[in-house]
Amino acid sequence: MSIETIKWIKGSARIIDQTLLPNKFEYIYCRDVETMWRAIKRLSVRGAPAIGVAAAFGVLLGIQKFKGQDKPKFLKLFHKTCDYLATSRPTAVNLFNMLNAMREVVNQNPQANVATLKKLLFKEAMAIFKADQEVCRRMGDHGAKLIKNGMRCMTVCNAGALATVDYGTALGVFYSARKKARKFSVYSLETRPLLQGARLTCWELCRQKIDTTLICDNMAASLMAKKKVDIIFTGADRIASNGDTANKIGTYMLAVLAKHHGIPFYIVAPRSTFDLAIKSGKQIPIEERKSEEVTHFAGVATAPKGVKVYNPAFDVTPANLITGIVTEYGVIRPPYMKNIYETLSNR
Amino acid sequence: MSIETIKWIKGSARIIDQTLLPNKFEYIYCRDVETMWRAIKRLSVRGAPAIGVAAAFGVLLGIQKFKGQDKPKFLKLFHKTCDYLATSRPTAVNLFNMLNAMREVVNQNPQANVATLKKLLFKEAMAIFKADQEVCRRMGDHGAKLIKNGMRCMTVCNAGALATVDYGTALGVFYSARKKARKFSVYSLETRPLLQGARLTCWELCRQKIDTTLICDNMAASLMAKKKVDIIFTGADRIASNGDTANKIGTYMLAVLAKHHGIPFYIVAPRSTFDLAIKSGKQIPIEERKSEEVTHFAGVATAPKGVKVYNPAFDVTPANLITGIVTEYGVIRPPYMKNIYETLSNR
């Protein structure tokens, strides 16, 4: 794929500014943690796995200018940096999981001095970066087995290379199926309000010459009624231990519609997107974003001034609407509570 | 209300250019049938009942410049005008029903000369115009009985004053409920791709100080899951004799979601939106519009160049998902085949 959504280059985190795609392809070089925080907040980098890597890199940015060997001072800066990055977005658990992974490095090495901790943290961030690429390919290969020749697939938002370091989760399934010369097509929901489906997923899939058709979100049901959808794959921002899954707004809509039409509905997400500390989707905080995302486009008002707006960025799909969850360890199927535990514990 | 969506003024049909709302309120004066045809085609005037009136006025525009008493020549022009207007849009049956009403005037008066026919056709068009206002108020009053205090209502697209001569179908229900001092709120789906919900419905409802919240189409399911939606009202573009209903794309999605969540789902439409000549929704032609509606906004590309697009303007909701159809004669409930026939025949 080599899209290189996020990459560490000599003391800076280089990210593709996804707010500008598909019209412009530009990089942002984050040289301090504040720039990374803003990049996450304004969705220049987005997608749960990519946010996790961005957070780990953000920690490196926050501590790299620290001089000297005053460990208490260093630890204070380190934890402040982690806490700060944790405020950038609330829903995708990868952010918190990767910050915790960085914290674990510090916790596991109580004797290490500042220089050693810096090295270990750098190593951990690079391991997170590398693992993301590997698990995406493994998920893709597991998921690709679900795609038969001739299938019309559907996806929402962007769970692709741009949502990860590379390759993607749901779109990784398509890339793996394509590598196996499977013939299939994809309906991409545009995904209002910020159109990640239209702007990012269509851009990715067209680059890979995958047969892609863009639709508005409100057209998915109509296609299903016409029996033009065989299988659905989406990413995830957080999966509770019972299988309830938070993902981009509209995912729950697709899951209900899939159930009504008897269409298999799969989530594709790595271990790092699971939150085994929570029992169900009710405990997942859902980010609400500013109304201008809905009322304006390209600076043009699309609604009368002053109208109230409800703009949740995510919704929660209950586990009972999910056919299976494709992970790097294989496809987890119901009963989820038991099978998620058995698959993921001790990993 | 007095929005005056469409009005006949001294030889011209004045319409509000709805493509410019809510940012600009401008009239288009149609002085010839071609201008009216284009106004219908490009959605300057839209909404099934309003299109019906626009078609009747379009006929007047087509024949008004005819000079002399050559009746065969006049009839040729008349039918050519009707046939031409019938090509403007395919789905809303009001267009064809009102053209048929105009044709009936000619058929019923075989002895009339050109001058008389012109007068009778003018009278018929004005009757169509007036009837639309009356039936909207009657529908509104019937529908308002379904709204209890505290209800959170939902609607899609614009089935309001702007979709009719005045007052509206689904939104007419809200206006009538408001007149009865009922307390309720409305969620308006923005309705991609052309945002008639955001641009037109929110504009209308905010003008009337009705508590309105704008959402993207993909957020409706999430609100339902949170038990924040009590009842749904939509308009219709064509209702088959079995109750199957074509309406703005996304309506079928709402109906499936409503069923899943146990929410009553009502269609609001006058007699003129029924097509008793067809047995089911399968026979309703669904307009597909150009891809630029989906791939561009305000001149800005929102998708990569060359991506395929599927852009149906309507979908069909099967009768079994519809709780009731609010007409000017009252609420029609299942079994629809029987009850539609009994309610509407001989009207």
PDB file of all heavy atoms in Angstrom, chain A residues 23 190 192 198 211 214 218 226 252 261 297 301-302 304 308 310-311, chain B residues 23 190 192 198 211 214 218 226 252 261 297 301-302 304 308 310:
ATOM      1  N   ASN A  23      -8.591  16.285  -2.289  1.00  0.00           N
ATOM      2  CA  ASN A  23      -8.179  17.365  -3.190  1.00  0.00           C
ATOM      3  C   ASN A  23      -6.705  17.732  -3.073  1.00  0.00           C
ATOM      4  O   ASN A  23      -6.096  18.173  -4.036  1.00  0.00           O
ATOM      5  CB  ASN A  23      -9.068  18.586  -2.956  1.00  0.00           C
ATOM      6  CG  ASN A  23     -10.523  18.292  -3.295  1.00  0.00           C
ATOM      7  OD1 ASN A  23     -10.804  17.685  -4.324  1.00  0.00           O
ATOM      8  ND2 ASN A  23     -11.449  18.668  -2.424  1.00  0.00           N
ATOM      9  N   GLU A 190     -20.787   7.610   2.191  1.00  0.00           N
ATOM     10  CA  GLU A 190     -19.989   8.844   2.231  1.00  0.00           C
ATOM     11  C   GLU A 190     -19.621   9.255   3.663  1.00  0.00           C
ATOM     12  O   GLU A 190     -18.575   9.824   3.898  1.00  0.00           O
ATOM     13  CB  GLU A 190     -20.723   9.983   1.525  1.00  0.00           C
ATOM     14  CG  GLU A 190     -22.039  10.368   2.168  1.00  0.00           C
ATOM     15  CD  GLU A 190     -22.644  11.611   1.524  1.00  0.00           C
ATOM     16  OE1 GLU A 190     -22.123  12.119   0.521  1.00  0.00           O
ATOM     17  OE2 GLU A 190     -23.674  12.085   2.051  1.00  0.00           O
ATOM     18  N   ARG A 192     -21.427  11.180   6.543  1.00  0.00           N
ATOM     19  CA  ARG A 192     -21.591  12.540   7.034  1.00  0.00           C
ATOM     20  C   ARG A 192     -21.281  12.589   8.517  1.00  0.00           C
ATOM     21  O   ARG A 192     -21.393  11.591   9.198  1.00  0.00           O
ATOM     22  CB  ARG A 192     -23.042  12.992   6.776  1.00  0.00           C
ATOM     23  CG  ARG A 192     -23.289  13.358   5.319  1.00  0.00           C
ATOM     24  CD  ARG A 192     -22.733  14.714   4.970  1.00  0.00           C
ATOM     25  NE  ARG A 192     -23.504  15.774   5.624  1.00  0.00           N
ATOM     26  CZ  ARG A 192     -23.037  16.996   5.902  1.00  0.00           C
ATOM     27  NH1 ARG A 192     -21.799  17.321   5.598  1.00  0.00           N
ATOM     28  NH2 ARG A 192     -23.799  17.893   6.483  1.00  0.00           N
ATOM     29  N   ALA A 198     -16.468   9.197   1.503  1.00  0.00           N
ATOM     30  CA  ALA A 198     -16.316   9.772   0.162  1.00  0.00           C
ATOM     31  C   ALA A 198     -14.885  10.227  -0.078  1.00  0.00           C
ATOM     32  O   ALA A 198     -14.282   9.933  -1.111  1.00  0.00           O
ATOM     33  CB  ALA A 198     -17.273  10.954  -0.008  1.00  0.00           C
ATOM     34  N   ASP A 211     -13.261  -2.004  -7.470  1.00  0.00           N
ATOM     35  CA  ASP A 211     -14.532  -1.530  -8.019  1.00  0.00           C
ATOM     36  C   ASP A 211     -15.379  -0.901  -6.897  1.00  0.00           C
ATOM     37  O   ASP A 211     -15.946  -1.605  -6.068  1.00  0.00           O
ATOM     38  CB  ASP A 211     -15.255  -2.729  -8.654  1.00  0.00           C
ATOM     39  CG  ASP A 211     -16.593  -2.347  -9.265  1.00  0.00           C
ATOM     40  OD1 ASP A 211     -17.025  -1.192  -9.128  1.00  0.00           O
ATOM     41  OD2 ASP A 211     -17.213  -3.235  -9.886  1.00  0.00           O
ATOM     42  N   LEU A 214     -19.723   5.021  -4.679  1.00  0.00           N
ATOM     43  CA  LEU A 214     -20.021   5.932  -3.572  1.00  0.00           C
ATOM     44  C   LEU A 214     -21.531   6.134  -3.458  1.00  0.00           C
ATOM     45  O   LEU A 214     -22.215   6.337  -4.461  1.00  0.00           O
ATOM     46  CB  LEU A 214     -19.336   7.277  -3.843  1.00  0.00           C
ATOM     47  CG  LEU A 214     -19.685   8.443  -2.936  1.00  0.00           C
ATOM     48  CD1 LEU A 214     -19.250   8.188  -1.499  1.00  0.00           C
ATOM     49  CD2 LEU A 214     -19.038   9.733  -3.468  1.00  0.00           C
ATOM     50  N   ASN A 218     -27.915   7.575   3.457  1.00  0.00           N
ATOM     51  CA  ASN A 218     -29.339   7.242   3.444  1.00  0.00           C
ATOM     52  C   ASN A 218     -29.746   6.342   2.270  1.00  0.00           C
ATOM     53  O   ASN A 218     -30.930   6.057   2.104  1.00  0.00           O
ATOM     54  CB  ASN A 218     -30.182   8.521   3.464  1.00  0.00           C
ATOM     55  CG  ASN A 218     -29.825   9.464   2.318  1.00  0.00           C
ATOM     56  OD1 ASN A 218     -29.012   9.124   1.457  1.00  0.00           O
ATOM     57  ND2 ASN A 218     -30.422  10.642   2.318  1.00  0.00           N
ATOM     58  N   LYS A 226     -32.875  -4.016  -2.516  1.00  0.00           N
ATOM     59  CA  LYS A 226     -32.735  -4.526  -3.884  1.00  0.00           C
ATOM     60  C   LYS A 226     -31.803  -5.732  -3.953  1.00  0.00           C
ATOM     61  O   LYS A 226     -31.407  -6.142  -5.040  1.00  0.00           O
ATOM     62  CB  LYS A 226     -32.207  -3.410  -4.788  1.00  0.00           C
ATOM     63  CG  LYS A 226     -33.229  -2.314  -5.017  1.00  0.00           C
ATOM     64  CD  LYS A 226     -32.676  -1.208  -5.889  1.00  0.00           C
ATOM     65  CE  LYS A 226     -33.744  -0.147  -6.113  1.00  0.00           C
ATOM     66  NZ  LYS A 226     -33.159   1.119  -6.538  1.00  0.00           N
ATOM     67  N   TYR A 252     -24.305   1.696  13.526  1.00  0.00           N
ATOM     68  CA  TYR A 252     -25.467   1.040  14.148  1.00  0.00           C
ATOM     69  C   TYR A 252     -26.634   0.969  13.159  1.00  0.00           C
ATOM     70  O   TYR A 252     -27.315  -0.048  13.053  1.00  0.00           O
ATOM     71  CB  TYR A 252     -25.865   1.793  15.417  1.00  0.00           C
ATOM     72  CG  TYR A 252     -27.176   1.338  16.009  1.00  0.00           C
ATOM     73  CD1 TYR A 252     -27.333   0.044  16.493  1.00  0.00           C
ATOM     74  CD2 TYR A 252     -28.276   2.198  16.064  1.00  0.00           C
ATOM     75  CE1 TYR A 252     -28.539  -0.381  17.027  1.00  0.00           C
ATOM     76  CE2 TYR A 252     -29.488   1.782  16.601  1.00  0.00           C
ATOM     77  CZ  TYR A 252     -29.620   0.493  17.074  1.00  0.00           C
ATOM     78  OH  TYR A 252     -30.808   0.078  17.588  1.00  0.00           O
ATOM     79  N   HIS A 261     -32.382  -7.256   6.665  1.00  0.00           N
ATOM     80  CA  HIS A 261     -32.256  -7.828   5.329  1.00  0.00           C
ATOM     81  C   HIS A 261     -31.464  -9.139   5.306  1.00  0.00           C
ATOM     82  O   HIS A 261     -31.195  -9.677   4.222  1.00  0.00           O
ATOM     83  CB  HIS A 261     -31.596  -6.804   4.395  1.00  0.00           C
ATOM     84  CG  HIS A 261     -32.418  -5.557   4.193  1.00  0.00           C
ATOM     85  ND1 HIS A 261     -32.311  -4.456   5.009  1.00  0.00           N
ATOM     86  CD2 HIS A 261     -33.379  -5.246   3.280  1.00  0.00           C
ATOM     87  CE1 HIS A 261     -33.151  -3.523   4.602  1.00  0.00           C
ATOM     88  NE2 HIS A 261     -33.811  -3.969   3.567  1.00  0.00           N
ATOM     89  N   PHE A 297     -20.569  23.622   4.951  1.00  0.00           N
ATOM     90  CA  PHE A 297     -19.616  22.860   4.157  1.00  0.00           C
ATOM     91  C   PHE A 297     -18.812  23.821   3.304  1.00  0.00           C
ATOM     92  O   PHE A 297     -19.381  24.671   2.620  1.00  0.00           O
ATOM     93  CB  PHE A 297     -20.298  21.827   3.268  1.00  0.00           C
ATOM     94  CG  PHE A 297     -19.280  20.957   2.615  1.00  0.00           C
ATOM     95  CD1 PHE A 297     -18.780  19.850   3.272  1.00  0.00           C
ATOM     96  CD2 PHE A 297     -18.734  21.314   1.381  1.00  0.00           C
ATOM     97  CE1 PHE A 297     -17.782  19.091   2.712  1.00  0.00           C
ATOM     98  CE2 PHE A 297     -17.728  20.558   0.818  1.00  0.00           C
ATOM     99  CZ  PHE A 297     -17.252  19.437   1.482  1.00  0.00           C
ATOM    100  N   ALA A 301     -23.064  27.933   4.418  1.00  0.00           N
ATOM    101  CA  ALA A 301     -24.087  27.451   5.344  1.00  0.00           C
ATOM    102  C   ALA A 301     -25.052  26.535   4.612  1.00  0.00           C
ATOM    103  O   ALA A 301     -25.505  26.836   3.508  1.00  0.00           O
ATOM    104  CB  ALA A 301     -24.839  28.624   5.950  1.00  0.00           C
ATOM    105  N   THR A 302     -25.361  25.394   5.239  1.00  0.00           N
ATOM    106  CA  THR A 302     -26.304  24.443   4.646  1.00  0.00           C
ATOM    107  C   THR A 302     -27.551  24.323   5.509  1.00  0.00           C
ATOM    108  O   THR A 302     -28.386  23.455   5.275  1.00  0.00           O
ATOM    109  CB  THR A 302     -25.656  23.050   4.523  1.00  0.00           C
ATOM    110  OG1 THR A 302     -25.208  22.657   5.826  1.00  0.00           O
ATOM    111  CG2 THR A 302     -24.482  23.083   3.582  1.00  0.00           C
ATOM    112  N   PRO A 304     -30.270  26.901   8.316  1.00  0.00           N
ATOM    113  CA  PRO A 304     -30.519  28.262   8.798  1.00  0.00           C
ATOM    114  C   PRO A 304     -29.742  28.527  10.082  1.00  0.00           C
ATOM    115  O   PRO A 304     -29.526  27.615  10.890  1.00  0.00           O
ATOM    116  CB  PRO A 304     -32.028  28.277   9.040  1.00  0.00           C
ATOM    117  CG  PRO A 304     -32.396  26.856   9.243  1.00  0.00           C
ATOM    118  CD  PRO A 304     -31.469  26.056   8.380  1.00  0.00           C
ATOM    119  N   LYS A 308     -30.729  24.147  16.151  1.00  0.00           N
ATOM    120  CA  LYS A 308     -30.024  23.229  17.041  1.00  0.00           C
ATOM    121  C   LYS A 308     -29.470  22.057  16.234  1.00  0.00           C
ATOM    122  O   LYS A 308     -30.071  21.651  15.236  1.00  0.00           O
ATOM    123  CB  LYS A 308     -30.981  22.686  18.109  1.00  0.00           C
ATOM    124  CG  LYS A 308     -31.336  23.701  19.177  1.00  0.00           C
ATOM    125  CD  LYS A 308     -31.920  23.023  20.420  1.00  0.00           C
ATOM    126  CE  LYS A 308     -33.338  22.539  20.187  1.00  0.00           C
ATOM    127  NZ  LYS A 308     -33.932  21.957  21.420  1.00  0.00           N
ATOM    128  N   TYR A 310     -27.542  18.083  16.635  1.00  0.00           N
ATOM    129  CA  TYR A 310     -27.029  16.956  17.421  1.00  0.00           C
ATOM    130  C   TYR A 310     -25.994  16.277  16.535  1.00  0.00           C
ATOM    131  O   TYR A 310     -26.305  15.867  15.421  1.00  0.00           O
ATOM    132  CB  TYR A 310     -28.180  16.015  17.769  1.00  0.00           C
ATOM    133  CG  TYR A 310     -27.769  14.733  18.470  1.00  0.00           C
ATOM    134  CD1 TYR A 310     -27.078  14.766  19.680  1.00  0.00           C
ATOM    135  CD2 TYR A 310     -28.099  13.499  17.926  1.00  0.00           C
ATOM    136  CE1 TYR A 310     -26.719  13.578  20.314  1.00  0.00           C
ATOM    137  CE2 TYR A 310     -27.752  12.312  18.561  1.00  0.00           C
ATOM    138  CZ  TYR A 310     -27.056  12.358  19.749  1.00  0.00           C
ATOM    139  OH  TYR A 310     -26.708  11.181  20.379  1.00  0.00           O
ATOM    140  N   ASN A 311     -24.748  16.204  16.998  1.00  0.00           N
ATOM    141  CA  ASN A 311     -23.665  15.721  16.148  1.00  0.00           C
ATOM    142  C   ASN A 311     -22.744  14.727  16.874  1.00  0.00           C
ATOM    143  O   ASN A 311     -21.588  15.019  17.158  1.00  0.00           O
ATOM    144  CB  ASN A 311     -22.855  16.922  15.628  1.00  0.00           C
ATOM    145  CG  ASN A 311     -21.742  16.494  14.689  1.00  0.00           C
ATOM    146  OD1 ASN A 311     -21.787  15.414  14.108  1.00  0.00           O
ATOM    147  ND2 ASN A 311     -20.738  17.345  14.533  1.00  0.00           N
TER     148      ASN A 311
ATOM    149  N   ASN B  23     -29.861  30.431   2.303  1.00  0.00           N
ATOM    150  CA  ASN B  23     -28.977  31.597   2.251  1.00  0.00           C
ATOM    151  C   ASN B  23     -29.564  32.772   1.471  1.00  0.00           C
ATOM    152  O   ASN B  23     -29.275  33.919   1.764  1.00  0.00           O
ATOM    153  CB  ASN B  23     -27.619  31.182   1.670  1.00  0.00           C
ATOM    154  CG  ASN B  23     -26.918  30.171   2.561  1.00  0.00           C
ATOM    155  OD1 ASN B  23     -26.896  30.325   3.778  1.00  0.00           O
ATOM    156  ND2 ASN B  23     -26.391  29.105   1.975  1.00  0.00           N
ATOM    157  N   GLU B 190     -31.037  15.782   7.649  1.00  0.00           N
ATOM    158  CA  GLU B 190     -30.560  16.761   6.672  1.00  0.00           C
ATOM    159  C   GLU B 190     -30.893  16.373   5.237  1.00  0.00           C
ATOM    160  O   GLU B 190     -31.151  17.231   4.412  1.00  0.00           O
ATOM    161  CB  GLU B 190     -29.054  16.980   6.804  1.00  0.00           C
ATOM    162  CG  GLU B 190     -28.221  15.747   6.536  1.00  0.00           C
ATOM    163  CD  GLU B 190     -26.724  16.053   6.503  1.00  0.00           C
ATOM    164  OE1 GLU B 190     -26.320  17.191   6.803  1.00  0.00           O
ATOM    165  OE2 GLU B 190     -25.952  15.137   6.164  1.00  0.00           O
ATOM    166  N   ARG B 192     -29.326  14.015   2.548  1.00  0.00           N
ATOM    167  CA  ARG B 192     -28.360  14.069   1.458  1.00  0.00           C
ATOM    168  C   ARG B 192     -28.987  13.502   0.196  1.00  0.00           C
ATOM    169  O   ARG B 192     -29.933  12.733   0.289  1.00  0.00           O
ATOM    170  CB  ARG B 192     -27.110  13.261   1.859  1.00  0.00           C
ATOM    171  CG  ARG B 192     -26.243  14.020   2.855  1.00  0.00           C
ATOM    172  CD  ARG B 192     -25.404  15.068   2.185  1.00  0.00           C
ATOM    173  NE  ARG B 192     -24.379  14.454   1.335  1.00  0.00           N
ATOM    174  CZ  ARG B 192     -23.806  15.079   0.292  1.00  0.00           C
ATOM    175  NH1 ARG B 192     -24.163  16.294  -0.053  1.00  0.00           N
ATOM    176  NH2 ARG B 192     -22.888  14.461  -0.421  1.00  0.00           N
ATOM    177  N   ALA B 198     -32.041  19.969   5.919  1.00  0.00           N
ATOM    178  CA  ALA B 198     -31.258  21.026   6.570  1.00  0.00           C
ATOM    179  C   ALA B 198     -31.639  22.398   6.023  1.00  0.00           C
ATOM    180  O   ALA B 198     -31.859  23.343   6.776  1.00  0.00           O
ATOM    181  CB  ALA B 198     -29.764  20.771   6.347  1.00  0.00           C
ATOM    182  N   ASP B 211     -39.473  23.773  17.986  1.00  0.00           N
ATOM    183  CA  ASP B 211     -38.224  23.253  18.556  1.00  0.00           C
ATOM    184  C   ASP B 211     -37.633  22.190  17.623  1.00  0.00           C
ATOM    185  O   ASP B 211     -38.126  21.069  17.557  1.00  0.00           O
ATOM    186  CB  ASP B 211     -38.539  22.655  19.943  1.00  0.00           C
ATOM    187  CG  ASP B 211     -37.303  22.099  20.633  1.00  0.00           C
ATOM    188  OD1 ASP B 211     -36.213  22.085  20.024  1.00  0.00           O
ATOM    189  OD2 ASP B 211     -37.438  21.676  21.796  1.00  0.00           O
ATOM    190  N   LEU B 214     -31.399  19.587  14.004  1.00  0.00           N
ATOM    191  CA  LEU B 214     -30.889  19.042  12.755  1.00  0.00           C
ATOM    192  C   LEU B 214     -29.923  17.895  13.039  1.00  0.00           C
ATOM    193  O   LEU B 214     -29.058  18.012  13.917  1.00  0.00           O
ATOM    194  CB  LEU B 214     -30.158  20.147  11.990  1.00  0.00           C
ATOM    195  CG  LEU B 214     -29.361  19.753  10.748  1.00  0.00           C
ATOM    196  CD1 LEU B 214     -30.275  19.184   9.661  1.00  0.00           C
ATOM    197  CD2 LEU B 214     -28.583  20.962  10.211  1.00  0.00           C
ATOM    198  N   ASN B 218     -27.437   9.636   9.001  1.00  0.00           N
ATOM    199  CA  ASN B 218     -26.891   8.440   9.653  1.00  0.00           C
ATOM    200  C   ASN B 218     -26.966   8.501  11.185  1.00  0.00           C
ATOM    201  O   ASN B 218     -26.470   7.600  11.852  1.00  0.00           O
ATOM    202  CB  ASN B 218     -25.435   8.209   9.194  1.00  0.00           C
ATOM    203  CG  ASN B 218     -24.560   9.428   9.413  1.00  0.00           C
ATOM    204  OD1 ASN B 218     -25.010  10.423   9.986  1.00  0.00           O
ATOM    205  ND2 ASN B 218     -23.329   9.373   8.958  1.00  0.00           N
ATOM    206  N   LYS B 226     -31.570   5.406  21.636  1.00  0.00           N
ATOM    207  CA  LYS B 226     -31.596   6.103  22.920  1.00  0.00           C
ATOM    208  C   LYS B 226     -33.013   6.451  23.356  1.00  0.00           C
ATOM    209  O   LYS B 226     -33.192   7.221  24.294  1.00  0.00           O
ATOM    210  CB  LYS B 226     -30.755   7.373  22.822  1.00  0.00           C
ATOM    211  CG  LYS B 226     -29.273   7.085  22.718  1.00  0.00           C
ATOM    212  CD  LYS B 226     -28.464   8.368  22.577  1.00  0.00           C
ATOM    213  CE  LYS B 226     -26.988   8.030  22.488  1.00  0.00           C
ATOM    214  NZ  LYS B 226     -26.196   9.114  21.927  1.00  0.00           N
ATOM    215  N   TYR B 252     -37.175   4.820   3.421  1.00  0.00           N
ATOM    216  CA  TYR B 252     -37.224   3.376   3.688  1.00  0.00           C
ATOM    217  C   TYR B 252     -36.298   3.019   4.857  1.00  0.00           C
ATOM    218  O   TYR B 252     -36.660   2.230   5.733  1.00  0.00           O
ATOM    219  CB  TYR B 252     -36.836   2.603   2.419  1.00  0.00           C
ATOM    220  CG  TYR B 252     -36.621   1.129   2.647  1.00  0.00           C
ATOM    221  CD1 TYR B 252     -37.677   0.309   3.044  1.00  0.00           C
ATOM    222  CD2 TYR B 252     -35.371   0.550   2.483  1.00  0.00           C
ATOM    223  CE1 TYR B 252     -37.482  -1.042   3.269  1.00  0.00           C
ATOM    224  CE2 TYR B 252     -35.162  -0.805   2.700  1.00  0.00           C
ATOM    225  CZ  TYR B 252     -36.220  -1.596   3.096  1.00  0.00           C
ATOM    226  OH  TYR B 252     -36.025  -2.929   3.325  1.00  0.00           O
ATOM    227  N   HIS B 261     -37.256  -0.432  16.265  1.00  0.00           N
ATOM    228  CA  HIS B 261     -37.325   0.221  17.571  1.00  0.00           C
ATOM    229  C   HIS B 261     -38.757   0.406  18.077  1.00  0.00           C
ATOM    230  O   HIS B 261     -38.967   1.032  19.114  1.00  0.00           O
ATOM    231  CB  HIS B 261     -36.631   1.587  17.504  1.00  0.00           C
ATOM    232  CG  HIS B 261     -35.153   1.489  17.230  1.00  0.00           C
ATOM    233  ND1 HIS B 261     -34.635   1.468  15.967  1.00  0.00           N
ATOM    234  CD2 HIS B 261     -34.085   1.376  18.072  1.00  0.00           C
ATOM    235  CE1 HIS B 261     -33.309   1.372  16.022  1.00  0.00           C
ATOM    236  NE2 HIS B 261     -32.951   1.304  17.277  1.00  0.00           N
ATOM    237  N   PHE B 297     -19.823  19.656  -3.478  1.00  0.00           N
ATOM    238  CA  PHE B 297     -20.686  20.575  -2.749  1.00  0.00           C
ATOM    239  C   PHE B 297     -20.137  21.984  -2.891  1.00  0.00           C
ATOM    240  O   PHE B 297     -18.950  22.211  -2.672  1.00  0.00           O
ATOM    241  CB  PHE B 297     -20.806  20.202  -1.273  1.00  0.00           C
ATOM    242  CG  PHE B 297     -21.829  21.060  -0.610  1.00  0.00           C
ATOM    243  CD1 PHE B 297     -23.160  20.722  -0.666  1.00  0.00           C
ATOM    244  CD2 PHE B 297     -21.467  22.265  -0.026  1.00  0.00           C
ATOM    245  CE1 PHE B 297     -24.121  21.541  -0.125  1.00  0.00           C
ATOM    246  CE2 PHE B 297     -22.430  23.095   0.515  1.00  0.00           C
ATOM    247  CZ  PHE B 297     -23.757  22.729   0.465  1.00  0.00           C
ATOM    248  N   ALA B 301     -14.983  19.464  -4.685  1.00  0.00           N
ATOM    249  CA  ALA B 301     -15.069  18.006  -4.803  1.00  0.00           C
ATOM    250  C   ALA B 301     -14.995  17.370  -3.421  1.00  0.00           C
ATOM    251  O   ALA B 301     -14.160  17.749  -2.593  1.00  0.00           O
ATOM    252  CB  ALA B 301     -13.947  17.474  -5.685  1.00  0.00           C
ATOM    253  N   THR B 302     -15.883  16.420  -3.159  1.00  0.00           N
ATOM    254  CA  THR B 302     -15.887  15.719  -1.874  1.00  0.00           C
ATOM    255  C   THR B 302     -15.555  14.247  -2.065  1.00  0.00           C
ATOM    256  O   THR B 302     -15.675  13.456  -1.134  1.00  0.00           O
ATOM    257  CB  THR B 302     -17.275  15.827  -1.212  1.00  0.00           C
ATOM    258  OG1 THR B 302     -18.241  15.304  -2.127  1.00  0.00           O
ATOM    259  CG2 THR B 302     -17.612  17.264  -0.890  1.00  0.00           C
ATOM    260  N   PRO B 304     -12.967  11.455  -4.770  1.00  0.00           N
ATOM    261  CA  PRO B 304     -11.950  11.443  -5.821  1.00  0.00           C
ATOM    262  C   PRO B 304     -12.595  11.404  -7.201  1.00  0.00           C
ATOM    263  O   PRO B 304     -13.664  10.824  -7.375  1.00  0.00           O
ATOM    264  CB  PRO B 304     -11.159  10.164  -5.535  1.00  0.00           C
ATOM    265  CG  PRO B 304     -12.100   9.293  -4.790  1.00  0.00           C
ATOM    266  CD  PRO B 304     -12.959  10.212  -3.977  1.00  0.00           C
ATOM    267  N   LYS B 308     -17.316   5.810  -9.078  1.00  0.00           N
ATOM    268  CA  LYS B 308     -18.698   5.549  -9.479  1.00  0.00           C
ATOM    269  C   LYS B 308     -19.645   6.034  -8.382  1.00  0.00           C
ATOM    270  O   LYS B 308     -19.290   6.009  -7.202  1.00  0.00           O
ATOM    271  CB  LYS B 308     -18.917   4.055  -9.689  1.00  0.00           C
ATOM    272  CG  LYS B 308     -18.266   3.518 -10.944  1.00  0.00           C
ATOM    273  CD  LYS B 308     -18.862   2.165 -11.335  1.00  0.00           C
ATOM    274  CE  LYS B 308     -18.349   1.042 -10.462  1.00  0.00           C
ATOM    275  NZ  LYS B 308     -18.890  -0.270 -10.858  1.00  0.00           N
ATOM    276  N   TYR B 310     -23.867   5.985  -7.073  1.00  0.00           N
ATOM    277  CA  TYR B 310     -25.274   5.576  -7.211  1.00  0.00           C
ATOM    278  C   TYR B 310     -26.097   6.633  -6.490  1.00  0.00           C
ATOM    279  O   TYR B 310     -25.870   6.883  -5.307  1.00  0.00           O
ATOM    280  CB  TYR B 310     -25.457   4.195  -6.576  1.00  0.00           C
ATOM    281  CG  TYR B 310     -26.883   3.694  -6.521  1.00  0.00           C
ATOM    282  CD1 TYR B 310     -27.639   3.545  -7.683  1.00  0.00           C
ATOM    283  CD2 TYR B 310     -27.467   3.350  -5.304  1.00  0.00           C
ATOM    284  CE1 TYR B 310     -28.939   3.079  -7.632  1.00  0.00           C
ATOM    285  CE2 TYR B 310     -28.771   2.860  -5.248  1.00  0.00           C
ATOM    286  CZ  TYR B 310     -29.504   2.734  -6.414  1.00  0.00           C
ATOM    287  OH  TYR B 310     -30.791   2.268  -6.350  1.00  0.00           O
TER     288      TYR B 310
END
